[in-house]
Amino acid sequence: EDKVVQSPLSLVVHEGDTVTLNCSYEVTNFRSLLWYKQEKKAPTFLFMLTSSGIEKKSGRLSSILDKKELFSILNITATQTGDSAVYLCAVKDAGGTSYGKLTFGQGTILTVHP
Amino acid sequence: DAGITQSPRHKVTETGTPVTLRCHQTENHRYMYWYRQDPGHGLRLIHYSYGVKDTDKGEVSDGYSVSRSKTEDFLLTLESATSSQTSVYFCAMGRGVEDTQYFGPGTRLTVL
């Protein structure tokens, strides 16, 4: 059974801080790892990672994957109150009849105070 | 994502009644998915579809059935709702197995 574990489960910081969110996984047939941001509504897509060591970057957010150690990190620099959200990590299965099934972690609740 | 909608957005029903949730997409995506989201469990896959009339079970499929008679519509049915099915239900779509999944706005279902 595929498994995704995120840490920490919650995090409280002040504006301007840098945060690192962690995602570790166990999956039989790894295809990709995805990060989503959820703000009281539908999850919105941030990054999809398929190769180790290649950083994906979008503004103040960046992410990297380590397929040897089976984890990914999501970094947010110079945090803003608008970054407050639940950050979800998911792993896509490549095998058999899974047809790109996503297995999600529990999420990290990030709260950014002014 | 504006190309995927869900209806109803909120529903309150009683134990034992049938409930159908609808997901509609305008992007002509092949793959569609139903998830439920509960505190402490994250998002869990209920059922998915890889084409018209082609569906399969996810990890929490007991008590749920789905149908896909057209590319754009994916229906989730609770034949006899139970209180344990109180949850927020999200539909998602994807172009292919390699693609990311894009989520609908969600339906909050309460079973009394």
Side-chain angles (χ1 to χ4, degrees):
Chain A
E1 184 180 319
D2 298 345
K3 187 177 179 183
V4 178
V5 177
Q6 294 185 242
S7 63
L9 293 181
S10 66
L11 190 56
V12 180
V13 300
H14 288 93
E15 273 193 321
D17 289 348
T18 293
V19 298
T20 298
L21 310 183
N22 302 291
C23 176
S24 63
Y25 62 90
E26 297 173 21
V27 60
T28 306
N29 295 289
F30 178 87
R31 182 181 292 274
S32 58
L33 184 145
L34 292 81
W35 285 97
Y36 288 85
K37 177 182 181 182
Q38 187 176 24
E39 302 170 86
K40 297 188 185 300
K41 50 185 180 178
T44 55
F45 172 72
L46 294 175
F47 299 112
M48 183 164 68
L49 304 156
T50 55
S51 301
S52 277
I54 299 175
E55 185 182 54
K56 291 274 183 101
K57 198 172 172 66
S58 176
R60 295 176 294 102
L61 278 65
S62 64
S63 183
I64 198 161
L65 173 68
D66 186 329
K67 290 169 73 173
K68 182 180 177 184
E69 299 298 330
L70 308 182
F71 78 91
S72 173
I73 59 172
L74 175 68
N75 280 318
I76 308 175
T77 60
T79 53
Q80 303 171 357
T81 55
D83 294 326
S84 295
V86 178
Y87 290 84
L88 299 168
C89 173
V91 172
K92 183 175 283 193
D93 193 301
T97 59
S98 296
Y99 292 96
K101 177 175 75 74
L102 283 178
T103 300
F104 282 84
Q106 327 92 296
T108 294
I109 303 171
L110 175 65
T111 305
V112 182
H113 289 310
Chain B
D1 192 304
I4 182 168
T5 57
Q6 294 182 230
S7 60
R9 296 293 312 281
H10 301 272
K11 186 170 181 68
V12 179
T13 191
E14 294 190 350
T15 297
T17 59
V19 176
T20 295
L21 308 183
R22 181 183 184 234
C23 179
H24 179 77
Q25 54 118 339
T26 58
E27 305 296 323
N28 201 35
H29 284 353
R30 178 183 176 190
Y31 293 85
M32 296 185 76
Y33 309 83
W34 276 108
Y35 292 89
R36 60 178 288 174
Q37 187 172 36
D38 304 289
H41 289 279
L43 282 152
R44 292 179 293 174
L45 182 66
I46 304 171
H47 281 280
Y48 62 96
S49 170
Y50 46 98
V52 173
K53 297 194 188 327
D54 291 323
T55 65
D56 206 348
K57 297 178 179 180
E59 60 180 302
V60 290
S61 59
D62 287 349
Y64 302 95
S65 63
V66 291
S67 66
R68 191 159 178 211
S69 59
K70 297 185 289 186
T71 298
E72 57 266 35
D73 290 324
F74 192 31
L75 304 181
L76 177 71
T77 297
L78 292 65
E79 300 291 345
S80 178
T82 67
S83 58
S84 64
Q85 293 175 312
T86 292
S87 187
V88 180
Y89 291 86
F90 287 101
C91 175
M93 63 180 180
R95 274 186 292 266
V97 173
E98 298 295 339
D99 191 26
T100 187
Q101 291 179 21
Y102 300 93
F103 285 81
T107 294
R108 182 173 295 277
L109 176 67
T110 302
V111 183
L112 301 176

